[in-house]
Amino acid sequence: MNKQTFLVEIGTEELPPKSLRFLAESFANNLISELNSIYLSYRTIHWFATPRRLALLVYDLSVMQSERIVQYRGPAIKIAFDCHGLPTQAALSWARTYGITIDQAERLVNNKGEWLMYNAKIPGKKAEQLLPEVISLCLKKLPTLKQMRWGISNFQFIRPVHTIILMLGNTLIPANIFGIDSSAKIYGHRFIGEQTLIIDHADNYLKILLENGKVEANYFKRKKIIQKDAKSAAEKINGIVKIDNILLEEVASLVEWPIVLIAKFEEKFLMIPSDALVHSIVTHQKYFPVYSKTDKLLPYFIFVSNITSSDPQLIISGHEKVIRARLEDAMFFFKNDCKNPLENNLPLLEKVIFQKKLGNLLEKTYRIQDLAEWIATHIHSDACHARRAGLLSKCDLISQMVIEFTEIQGVMGMHYARLGGESEEVAVALMEQYKPRFSGDSLPSHPVSYALSIADKMDTLVGIFGINQHPTGDKDPFALRRLALGVLRIIIEKKLSLDLYTLSVKAIDLYNNKILNSNTTCDIIKFMLGRLYTWYKEKGYRVDTIQSVLACHLTKPIDIDVRIQAITYFRSTEQSVIRLSLVHKRIVNILSQTNEKLNNTVYKNLLKEPEEIQLNNRITAINVNLNSFLLKEQYKDILMDLILLNKEINNFFNKVLVNSPEKKLRMNRLTLLSRLNHLFLTIADLTLLKE
């Protein structure tokens, strides 16, 4: 038989659950790459992963490497032979390297010349000879998570390794990886099933592991079991389970034999805000919350056990004790926090450092307060509410709930603000100030929230750039890239008429004398426009379209967006914008060839030809509507006017001699083209567009 199933399993201590799938997929991708590089064919590769193993099954792997032809090129013919046609030392040395004579060499001829060439037949090796080294390479190329040493060896891996099996069909392949010899022995479940298993054939791996070892090695099957059984468990109490995929993946990575159970907690804990309650259930305990049909949190939770028990109630009781202790703490913290209004925490912010060169959180709070009010005024929002939200924005960071559960900052601020009688706009803004938290996250929902979110992010951006701590490479400890994109997304998607220059200047002014970098404004605008370029590129916009707009050095994100949309629209419907681009390139090329100072205006009395008169009249007519279009951001209308101008421009170039020998005529015509160039640049630098 020339094809067999190949099995590799690395048995370890418990692997990091959040990285398990990534590790297994990387292992499989590495093996695909290595097998292809050594010409070992196969049908497909499936990966398997549990907390204590990474495994791959390669189906229909060739047991013999394919024979292949390798081409070795020698010296050029003019170097390989002397004037008498005899081989030179260079040719002889090359032939000797490959164990052939010059007569055995062939000729390689192409349009660049002629060379000596040797086509060597490389016989294939047995797969079992190659696989140990291949697997070692695949493991070395796994993502560099924190490595560990174990025992007295110097080997390093993500977790200590206990077993290695490399098996091709029913043949155990001798290998030594991490100082461990390959053997047919693997381990089953720690507590149920057989502890030690012997694999007799690669095709039997999954069956033996499942039936004898009580281990479901298929990651996706474990996920499916958890989803199905959790839904059934919730339905038994007339509830609905909400399964977050990130949590599901982590839970599936924590168990080898998933058993889904449902438990409950005391109803008194429902007095805790549901956000905090769910956070404790999900983040700390890895449980799934249960809701009623009306989306109300119920006093139940679903968890996944790793063992089958004859008395599951014992397991349920154990988990109920754990959650009770956790929720008792949360309720204690919540009740204590409710004893004082949120604003009472304000003086305590003075003791919390924002950044050692930029002061404390109280100072940051006052800056955010002023900046949020300024932004709210400019976007026609409620300035008083924005100022109040800015004042309270960081007060929940001192609360006991947030100190204990840091991930719910903002959320608790919202709840405490509501309990304190603050307006709903202010309360919601406290929660939404951190949005968007990650790529693709939702944006703040209300103008007061827009103002607070932008103010918080801009204050951090200005401060960190102001002390010259720019993000470099992959190092961005203050998440400035995320903050910059968050500001840009809010401005663009919520259509806010904010200018990055004036926004940055205002934020800098609020720092007084703490800004050390004199180029802070320029640095921030350059950085933010760079993030904007990447964002548009990732959304699928053409690079030359983005570059053509950014080349105009605009600082209003909404202006940039509308121009990009306008150019993209015309490029998708017709090619006229590309023809306009060619015209623009011609105009710029002509203007670049003169060093003469142009006129301040086009003199009508110097317009002699009908085509230049017509072109000037059309430009004047367009300029009449230009300011109105610009104010209303009607860039599609401007672009349409320019496209319709194509005919007059072509007539001008066909009938009018721009570089007239008469200086006054020449300067007037160049000024007309300069006026036309300026008109193009109200949209974009169209010279950068490509066909």
Side-chain angles (χ1 to χ4, degrees), residues 43-322:
R43 177 167 55 87
T44 186
I45 295 178
H46 290 168
W47 61 266
F48 301 90
T50 77
R52 297 198 300 146
R53 73 199 76 237
L54 293 174
L56 302 175
L57 281 173
V58 184
Y59 295 99
D60 292 341
L61 178 70
S62 295
V63 298
M64 181 66 72
Q65 189 182 36
S66 302
E67 182 182 84
R68 63 194 189 279
I69 303 295
V70 178
Q71 189 179 84
Y72 298 106
R73 192 170 77 172
I77 295 301
K78 61 183 179 181
I79 297 173
F81 298 95
D82 61 20
C83 58
H84 303 293
L86 298 174
T88 62
Q89 187 59 45
L92 293 170
S93 297
W94 170 78
R96 195 178 305 117
T97 300
Y98 297 105
I100 62 170
T101 65
I102 293 296
D103 293 337
Q104 291 174 298
E106 299 177 44
R107 301 290 177 97
L108 171 65
V109 181
N110 59 31
N111 58 2
K112 294 183 180 180
E114 186 177 3
W115 293 265
L116 288 176
M117 182 188 68
Y118 171 52
N119 287 321
K121 287 186 179 180
I122 307 297
K125 294 182 180 180
K126 290 183 177 179
E128 59 189 79
Q129 293 177 277
L130 301 168
L131 288 169
E133 180 61 24
V134 165
I135 296 303
S136 292
L137 284 172
C138 291
L139 291 169
K140 286 177 183 177
K141 291 180 180 179
L142 284 179
T144 53
L145 302 179
K146 189 174 181 180
Q147 304 287 295
M148 300 178 69
R149 288 192 182 94
W150 62 95
I152 59 173
S153 73
N154 288 320
F155 295 105
Q156 294 186 60
F157 195 56
I158 303 146
R159 291 291 185 270
V161 177
H162 295 306
T163 61
I164 301 283
I165 178 171
L166 277 68
M167 184 171 282
L168 186 61
N170 60 358
T171 303
L172 182 68
I173 300 175
N176 187 282
I177 301 175
F178 300 121
I180 299 169
D181 290 328
S182 173
S183 75
K185 181 183 75 173
I186 65 170
Y187 292 122
H189 197 287
R190 281 192 189 276
F191 308 110
I192 56 178
E194 297 176 22
Q195 297 288 295
T196 304
L197 306 169
I198 302 297
I199 305 299
D200 58 355
H201 196 289
D203 285 330
N204 297 331
Y205 169 72
L206 295 176
K207 182 179 179 182
I208 292 172
L209 200 53
L210 181 68
E211 295 181 359
N212 299 354
K214 297 301 180 186
V215 173
E216 176 52 81
N218 190 311
Y219 182 83
F220 298 104
K221 284 187 178 179
R222 295 201 304 276
K223 279 184 64 176
K224 192 172 181 180
I225 290 168
I226 294 169
Q227 282 179 301
K228 178 176 176 293
D229 291 355
K231 183 180 178 181
S232 297
E235 286 174 350
K236 289 178 181 177
I237 58 165
N238 201 30
I240 298 171
V241 61
K242 292 186 178 180
I243 299 180
D244 176 76
N245 191 58
I246 294 175
L247 176 60
L248 176 61
E249 296 242 334
E250 187 175 355
V251 172
S253 300
L254 285 166
V255 296
E256 292 188 319
W257 192 257
I259 301 296
V260 175
L261 298 169
I262 189 166
K264 66 182 304 183
F265 56 84
E266 295 169 64
E267 290 193 24
K268 68 177 183 179
F269 294 123
L270 291 175
M271 69 166 289
I272 303 170
S274 60
D275 310 78
L277 204 55
V278 169
H279 177 78
S280 183
I281 291 171
V282 171
T283 305
H284 292 276
Q285 301 306 130
K286 314 303 178 191
Y287 299 156
F288 299 101
V290 181
Y291 296 82
S292 69
K293 299 290 174 63
T294 57
D295 206 34
K296 181 181 178 182
L297 186 67
L298 296 176
Y300 292 91
F301 61 92
I302 289 171
F303 66 95
V304 182
S305 174
N306 194 32
I307 60 172
T308 302
S309 172
S310 58
D311 187 2
Q313 188 55 47
L314 284 175
I315 299 174
I316 292 170
S317 297
H319 283 266
E320 288 177 342
K321 287 179 182 177
V322 171

Side-chain angles (χ1 to χ4, degrees), residues 466-637:
I467 56 173
N468 289 304
Q469 291 196 16
H470 304 52
T472 56
D474 59 349
K475 294 182 179 179
D476 188 8
F478 288 92
L480 300 186
R481 293 183 179 90
R482 177 174 59 79
L483 297 182
L485 186 56
V487 170
L488 292 166
R489 280 191 60 202
I490 294 170
I491 293 174
I492 291 171
E493 295 182 32
K494 299 301 181 180
K495 302 188 183 308
L496 307 181
S497 185
L498 288 174
D499 183 280
L500 296 180
Y501 177 80
T502 55
L503 182 58
S504 300
V505 168
K506 178 62 179 178
I508 290 169
D509 287 344
L510 293 172
Y511 265 97
N512 296 322
N513 60 352
K514 288 182 178 175
I515 299 301
L516 306 176
N517 174 13
S518 59
N519 294 317
T520 298
T521 303
C522 292
D523 288 350
I524 284 178
I525 291 173
K526 182 180 178 182
F527 176 73
M528 294 186 78
L529 292 181
R531 295 302 300 146
L532 196 57
Y533 169 84
T534 302
W535 184 57
Y536 280 118
K537 187 178 175 183
E538 288 174 349
K539 290 180 73 174
Y541 289 90
R542 289 188 55 150
V543 169
D544 57 337
T545 295
I546 306 167
Q547 290 172 334
S548 71
V549 176
L550 293 181
C552 295
H553 307 293
L554 304 165
T555 55
K556 284 186 71 174
I558 191 65
D559 272 1
I560 294 171
D561 183 69
V562 177
R563 291 168 198 241
I564 287 175
Q565 303 299 339
I567 294 173
T568 300
Y569 169 77
F570 280 103
R571 293 188 81 165
S572 66
T573 57
E574 51 183 311
Q575 285 299 305
S576 52
V577 73
I578 297 300
R579 291 195 290 273
L580 196 64
S581 169
L582 296 175
V583 170
H584 193 190
K585 289 174 185 175
R586 186 174 182 181
I587 293 168
V588 171
N589 185 49
I590 292 171
L591 292 173
S592 68
Q593 293 174 9
T594 181
N595 293 320
E596 297 175 294
K597 185 177 180 181
L598 302 182
N599 301 331
N600 292 325
T601 186
V602 175
Y603 296 107
K604 290 185 178 181
N605 63 313
L606 294 175
L607 298 172
K608 303 298 183 183
E609 304 295 337
E611 291 77 17
E612 61 182 330
I613 294 171
Q614 177 65 19
L615 180 59
N616 184 61
N617 289 340
R618 289 282 287 113
I619 293 173
T620 301
I622 291 173
N623 276 320
V624 169
N625 296 322
L626 185 63
N627 287 335
S628 174
F629 284 153
L630 290 174
L631 284 172
K632 296 176 182 177
E633 296 168 348
Q634 294 173 315
Y635 297 109
K636 284 184 182 179
D637 294 324

